Amino acid sequence: MTGAIPGEQHPEQRPTGERMPRQRHEPAGPIALHVDDRSGSSVITARAVASFEPVGRSVATARSFVRDTLQGWGFADIVDDAVVLTSELVTNAVVHAGTEAEVLCLRTEPGVRIEVSDRYPEREVPLQNAHAVMGSPDREGGRGLQLCAALASRWGVEYTSTHKNVWFQLDLPERALGTRTAGPALPTDLLPTADGRVRVAVLQIDRKGSVSAWNEDAEELFGYAADEVVGKPLTDLAAWPHTPGTGTGIAEALQLSRWEGSYGVRRADGRVAPVYASHLRVRDTGGEPSTVCLLVRDHERAVLQTPSRVPAGDQGGAEGPSADPFEVFIGSPAPDDLDGLLQRTVERARDMLDGDSAFLLLATDDETELEVRASTGLPSARQRFARVPVEAGPGRYGSARMPAVHEDLTSVPGAVPLLTGTGMRSVVTVPLKVEGRLTGSLGVAAEGPGRYSNEEALRLQFAADRIALAVESARLGELERLRRGSLSFLVEASDLLAGTLDRDQTLALMAQMTVPTLATWCAVYTIADPASDPYLSYVLHEDEELIDGIKSLLSKIPPPEAVLTPGAQVWPLPGEVAHQAALRSSMRSLGLAGGPAQQVTAGIGPTLATASAVGGETVVLPLVARNRVIGMLILGKPTDEHFRQEILELAEDLSRRAALALDNARLYSERTAISQSLQRSLLPPGLPHIDGVEVDVIYRAAGEGNEVGGDFYDLFPIGDGAYGFAIGDVCGTGPNAAAVTGLARHALRLLAREGLSGPAVLERLNSAILDEGDRSRFLTLLYGELRPQPNGGAEMKMVCAGHPLPLRLRQDGTVETAAEPQPLLGVIEDLELYEETVTLDPGDVLLCVTDGVTERREGTRMLGDDGLADVLTTCTGLTAGAVAARILRAVERFASDAPSDDMAILAMRVPGLQQD
């Protein structure tokens, strides 16, 4: 509750017994000079008081209360110091002591006195004797009294049985009579511009928010007569900006004791006129509140705008160092993104200490390194994600955990490695801490030596303390968004990598997922075996025109060392070599290499472009799978850019997944090659040429990647002009079926060449299959011996052991079976097989197929033996190759789905007499 109470009694003049006699604590040393009893002779002209609950948000509410109260009283010169002291004391009460806090503001003739009371009298301040020393500025608590000693004109502490009360007095600075602020004399051309007569619109808004007064300048500026707007809400006229990050609307602004800023007013012609306004909350003699609004054109804001407060360091007074709270230091509204907040922080820090440059670094999670996140006034090489160690030592950032001032960096080279080679001589750095944990470091530097002292360090530390929590909160929010994005990225990457077993495609996916999401360019080295050197397998850049240049560069330098150690390792060689090559090329083009001057050609372009492309940070990530380094993933940035730690961690996760996918692709390729080689060994090397007989074979193995299935065929010479032929089908699929296929084909050739008859050959093959034991498979087989006849025909002796019967196509188009069915092989030991003889006349065809042909299905329909015979009747007069092709085409067209079973088609034809 706020109100002016002229002539109100001083709190010390309250009735006896309302407060116990105060306990006065005299601090030791220089601090005692600032401690004084509150003078009872000061006349109190206004009083405001508010209570705050013991919750964290109360500190911000208390700051706003004090700021609004003092601005309403016209004490803008001391608002900042009062807000800082109130913030510290209320924090001690509601956060550290955990009690309700009461803030009392008293306006007096010399200035303002503020009291902060809490309900924890047992918790005394640490000033009990002359030897007591207040806590270090690096402690998270206990700074409130130090600030009182540094900023307040007078301060004190008192206790009652139920309360502890800390108070401080801030006196207004002495100014010339009648002068509140003043500026220097300026040349005419530097003065603000106004359009002719400056018109100041004066509006008065009642407690309901409606216009109650409207002057002539308002009529001229906005086009409304007074009777048109009086009684209407100001919200009908004002075009209030909705600024992200601030929740103050026009209704809230009208309730503040003082407000100043820009908005728009809708003119009578429908256009919006931008204005600059100053609002003052007043009350009439009857106690009725209203708000007086002064408005000018926005470009004439200098008429109303309050001059910025001169920094304390420039006032030359005895008030000591000044500290800016978060709202004043950062500005309002504060940026809602981390990068914007950090960049504004370094700019404000540089301006506050009148420096030439400023920088802000954020600590990694383990606090072992600091990462540059924002800078101003420094070369680009010092910007964005460069990292330095925290602990003391050569080349390390030894002043990260404590405030530090270096008057001349030339006397302590390497003390602040970030500034090496920048020309900065003096620097002040302070830590950013949250709950005692190092979260970052803020520094300001100047080109001249001796520019900063402990006073500037204290001011900068106060500013760092105000922003540390906001920065950490924004950093954690950004980190959470990065982690969510990283999880989504890794899930998608895992799906893509798991979707292929092709080595080249895996390499391409690795690179495409890396560029440009994680890096500007990348390269992949692969290692075939531990004894092999790394091989450059893939290069990708977001600009395709630069790929060849980078590939050429990497092929000319030694590859990075393959190490099993996880994590990213910096590899500076590409950047160094590219820089040297570009330098030599430039010198040659200018005739500086000892030879005649040469005209600059386009050939220099790729060299310079490559040097720029790989001139930033380059890191190596090992590709480790099954405890072996199988390659390396190289990530690179262009000139003067660095990787942020979160990106490197994400790249490390990706490299682990990519390494396993690449190794799986390698193993699959190797095993596929072995499988294909073994499968090809099961097929006949080729068909022999047989005089007087046309032979053609079509073979189709079902299943992806299969060259040989359970079906097989063979045609081979036996001797004395005879040839053996076979077509069979092993039960089942896979390696065991393929093993029986190989056994059958090789056994048939060996036994037939021993001069055994067809039945004897099959009986011995049957025994060999049964000897395989658990690996044995039953086998259907058509085996025969072909002997061309001098008269142009061909004699065939065949044994059909459980196989689809061969079909004979005569020259007149009739089709008949050419053998009788007999028992299949691999089931019983004692077989009694017999041989059948068939003579093919000129023009006849003998067709032998496996059951993949006859059992071709479409729903409930099956091609069958009859269907095959029907197709064969249409093949009269065709060659053996044409017959086989027509049978295959008929099988494929019989059903819409692709064949699901192996197929073998063997066609043998005796040419007709007319073709001889």
Side-chain angles (χ1 to χ4, degrees):
M1 168 176 168
T2 304
I5 310 178
E8 180 179 341
Q9 277 191 320
H10 190 282
E12 291 182 356
Q13 301 172 1
R14 294 170 182 165
T16 306
E18 194 169 311
R19 281 192 181 180
M20 296 178 61
R22 62 186 173 182
Q23 302 175 15
R24 203 174 150 204
H25 297 276
E26 298 288 347
I31 298 177
L33 299 176
H34 298 279
V35 182
D36 193 7
D37 291 332
R38 295 180 300 169
S39 173
S41 60
S42 299
V43 177
I44 300 173
T45 59
R47 174 179 181 272
V49 63
S51 297
F52 303 95
E53 297 295 326
V55 292
R57 63 176 180 273
S58 294
V59 178
T61 308
R63 288 198 300 263
S64 299
F65 164 70
V66 172
R67 180 182 298 281
D68 293 342
T69 299
L70 268 60
Q71 286 181 341
W73 291 347
F75 288 174
D77 296 283
I78 59 176
V79 163
D80 294 339
D81 292 342
V83 169
V84 169
L85 296 179
T86 302
S87 179
E88 290 292 341
L89 298 179
V90 173
T91 299
N92 289 340
V94 303
V95 176
H96 300 303
T99 75
E100 179 182 296
E102 181 180 276
V103 179
L104 172 66
C105 300
L106 301 173
R107 185 176 68 184
T108 64
E109 293 177 355
V112 66
R113 184 162 53 247
I114 296 178
E115 301 179 2
V116 178
S117 302
D118 65 54
R119 302 180 183 276
Y120 194 4
E122 295 83 359
R123 188 175 185 270
E124 296 190 354
V125 295
L127 298 172
Q128 299 299 321
N129 52 64
H131 301 289
V133 179
M134 285 189 289
S136 165
D138 298 308
R139 296 178 52 193
E140 292 302 312
R143 286 195 293 252
L145 300 181
Q146 281 187 300
L147 288 176
C148 288
L151 301 179
S153 304
R154 294 179 299 279
W155 65 280
V157 183
E158 62 182 20
Y159 297 89
T160 71
S161 60
T162 58
H163 291 75
K164 179 175 87 272
N165 187 53
V166 181
W167 62 272
F168 60 88
Q169 173 94 19
L170 294 174
D171 293 340
L172 291 172
E174 294 185 2
R175 302 183 184 275
L177 185 63
T179 301
R180 183 175 182 275
T181 60
L186 293 176
T188 302
D189 57 348
L190 297 181
L191 296 175
T193 303
D195 296 338
R197 175 193 165 190
V198 176
R199 297 185 180 274
V200 180
V202 180
L203 288 64
Q204 193 154 0
I205 312 300
D206 60 24
R207 69 159 64 223
K208 298 179 180 179
S210 300
V211 178
S212 59
W214 184 269
N215 73 342
E216 294 180 357
D217 281 354
E219 294 181 4
E220 184 67 25
L221 287 176
F222 308 123
Y224 298 104
D227 57 357
E228 293 180 288
V229 294
V230 171
K232 292 185 177 181
L234 180 60
T235 53
D236 291 352
L237 302 175
W240 196 260
H242 295 283
T243 306
T246 177
T248 304
I250 186 170
E252 292 82 359
L254 291 174
Q255 298 301 315
L256 299 177
S257 59
R258 183 180 294 277
W259 184 90
E260 191 174 313
S262 300
Y263 54 89
V265 175
R266 297 181 181 87
R267 295 167 45 88
D269 58 9
R271 298 182 179 179
V272 174
V275 298
Y276 191 83
S278 176
H279 296 179
L280 178 66
R281 189 78 164 160
V282 298
R283 60 174 179 166
D284 59 19
T285 55
E288 184 70 13
S290 63
T291 302
V292 177
C293 306
L294 307 180
L295 290 77
V296 297
R297 298 181 181 93
D298 189 66
H299 65 274
E300 297 172 343
R301 62 171 57 200
V303 176
L304 300 179
Q305 192 169 25
T306 301
S308 302
R309 182 172 183 259
V310 179
D314 297 337
Q315 291 176 350
E319 296 178 355
S322 172
D324 294 295
F326 176 78
E327 294 87 348
V328 174
F329 183 74
I330 294 298
S332 180
D336 55 1
D337 64 298
L338 178 61
D339 289 337
L341 177 61
L342 299 183
Q343 192 59 37
R344 186 179 293 184
T345 296
V346 296
E347 292 170 357
R348 294 296 174 88
R350 178 197 60 188
D351 297 342
M352 185 179 74
L353 298 188
D354 193 23
D356 297 311
S357 64
F359 51 90
L360 193 148
L361 302 88
L362 294 184
T364 55
D365 290 340
D366 57 3
E367 299 181 21
T368 59
E369 287 185 314
L370 292 169
E371 191 174 63
V372 178
R373 292 301 303 271
S375 66
T376 182
L378 293 177
S380 60
R382 270 54 176 192
Q383 296 179 0
R384 302 295 290 174
F385 311 123
R387 292 176 298 279
V388 291
V390 171
E391 302 304 332
R396 296 176 181 268
Y397 200 83
S399 58
R401 300 186 186 277
M402 297 286 292
V405 176
H406 294 283
E407 296 182 351
D408 193 346
L409 288 176
T410 59
S411 61
V412 283
V416 184
L418 185 66
L419 300 179
T420 302
T422 61
M424 300 297 159
R425 296 281 298 276
S426 54
V427 61
V428 53
T429 61
V430 297
L432 275 68
K433 293 184 177 180
V434 175
E435 297 179 352
R437 182 173 61 85
L438 177 69
T439 60
S441 178
L442 176 63
V444 178
E447 295 178 353
R451 287 279 299 275
Y452 302 116
S453 64
N454 290 339
E455 180 179 350
E456 282 78 15
L458 185 59
R459 291 182 62 199
L460 190 61
Q461 184 66 70
F462 289 158
D465 291 343
R466 301 284 76 75
I467 66 168
L469 187 59
V471 168
E472 180 66 3
S473 177
R475 187 188 75 86
L476 292 176
E478 180 193 68
L479 188 61
E480 179 64 21
R481 289 191 296 273
L482 280 173
R483 285 176 177 168
R484 290 181 180 178
S486 298
L487 288 175
S488 176
F489 173 78
L490 290 175
V491 168
E492 182 178 358
S494 298
D495 289 343
L496 290 173
L497 291 170
T500 179
L501 287 172
D502 182 82
R503 175 183 175 277
D504 293 337
Q505 190 174 3
T506 301
L507 289 172
L509 283 173
M510 288 171 57
Q512 291 166 7
M513 287 185 294
T514 302
V515 177
T517 305
L518 304 181
T520 306
W521 66 273
C522 81
V524 182
Y525 286 84
T526 56
I527 303 174
D529 55 70
S532 302
D533 294 328
Y535 174 75
L536 182 61
S537 299
Y538 205 93
V539 176
L540 184 65
H541 191 284
E542 60 184 10
D543 184 354
E544 293 183 356
E545 295 181 356
L546 297 175
I547 294 177
D548 291 339
I550 298 176
K551 188 181 298 183
S552 176
L553 170 69
L554 295 179
S555 64
K556 295 176 182 178
I557 63 176
E561 183 181 357
V563 295
L564 197 59
T565 306
Q569 304 294 326
V570 177
W571 188 32
L573 189 58
E576 295 172 356
V577 173
H579 176 74
Q580 294 170 3
L583 182 60
R584 288 194 300 269
S585 179
S586 299
M587 292 177 66
R588 285 196 303 270
S589 69
L590 299 174
L592 300 178
Q598 300 176 4
Q599 186 176 2
V600 178
T601 64
I604 237 175
T607 302
L608 297 175
T610 301
S612 176
V614 302
E617 190 174 39
T618 302
V619 297
V620 181
L621 291 153
L623 298 174
V624 180
R626 298 173 176 90
N627 205 33
R628 185 175 74 85
V629 180
I630 64 169
M632 289 160 289
L633 177 63
I634 314 298
L635 305 182
K637 286 282 190 179
T639 301
D640 296 337
E641 289 195 23
H642 298 266
F643 288 98
R644 59 186 305 175
Q645 190 63 34
E646 293 84 355
I647 294 298
L648 291 179
E649 292 173 358
L650 179 58
E652 188 175 354
D653 286 339
L654 175 63
S655 69
R656 286 194 291 266
R657 290 165 168 79
L660 189 59
L662 185 61
D663 200 44
N664 288 339
R666 177 187 63 83
L667 292 175
Y668 178 77
S669 298
E670 291 177 356
R671 293 178 181 179
T672 300
I674 293 172
S675 174
Q676 291 174 347
S677 177
L678 290 174
Q679 289 184 66
R680 283 192 292 269
S681 70
L682 301 178
L683 294 174
L687 296 177
H689 175 71
I690 304 177
D691 292 335
V693 179
E694 298 174 359
V695 179
D696 203 349
V697 174
I698 294 179
Y699 182 82
R700 295 287 187 272
E704 184 179 357
N706 292 333
E707 293 190 22
V708 176
D711 292 4
F712 70 96
Y713 70 94
D714 201 0
L715 181 63
F716 54 91
I718 297 175
D720 297 333
Y723 294 84
F725 66 90
I727 184 168
D729 185 0
V730 179
C731 174
T733 59
N736 289 335
V740 175
T741 298
L743 172 65
R745 194 175 69 81
H746 292 292
L748 285 174
R749 287 195 172 211
L750 182 63
L751 295 172
R753 286 170 178 169
E754 290 294 324
L756 299 176
S757 64
V761 169
L762 268 58
E763 288 170 2
R764 295 195 180 190
L765 176 59
N766 181 64
S767 299
I769 294 174
L770 293 175
D771 289 343
E772 290 291 305
D774 294 339
R775 295 185 301 172
S776 66
R777 293 287 190 272
F778 64 80
L779 168 66
T780 68
L781 179 64
L782 171 65
Y783 173 73
E785 294 180 2
L786 167 65
R787 190 179 299 272
Q789 299 298 310
N791 61 359
E795 181 184 77
M796 294 186 177
K797 296 180 179 180
M798 295 179 287
V799 179
C800 186
H803 197 77
L805 299 178
L807 297 178
R808 177 181 181 179
L809 171 65
R810 293 184 180 274
Q811 196 169 14
D812 60 4
T814 60
V815 175
E816 60 186 18
T817 59
E820 297 293 332
Q822 300 183 58
L824 51 77
L825 306 181
V827 178
I828 58 177
E829 294 184 3
D830 298 328
L831 288 179
E832 293 184 1
L833 302 175
Y834 57 91
E835 194 172 58
E836 299 177 81
T837 302
V838 175
T839 300
L840 296 182
D841 298 326
D844 289 354
V845 176
L846 184 70
L847 178 66
C848 309
V849 299
T850 58
D851 61 4
V853 174
T854 56
E855 294 181 1
R856 176 71 162 150
R857 292 180 180 276
E858 172 70 15
T860 59
R861 296 186 308 117
M862 186 171 71
L863 180 62
D865 296 334
D866 294 339
L868 180 61
D870 291 341
V871 175
L872 186 58
T873 58
T874 66
C875 298
T876 303
L878 298 180
T879 64
V883 171
R886 179 167 292 186
I887 297 300
L888 176 64
R889 188 161 54 251
V891 171
E892 291 176 338
R893 292 178 176 177
F894 186 80
S896 57
D897 296 336
S900 59
D901 196 3
D902 303 331
M903 287 189 299
I905 303 173
L906 173 60
M908 293 175 286
R909 178 178 180 272
V910 178
L913 294 176
Q914 66 275 16
Q915 297 176 348
D916 294 342

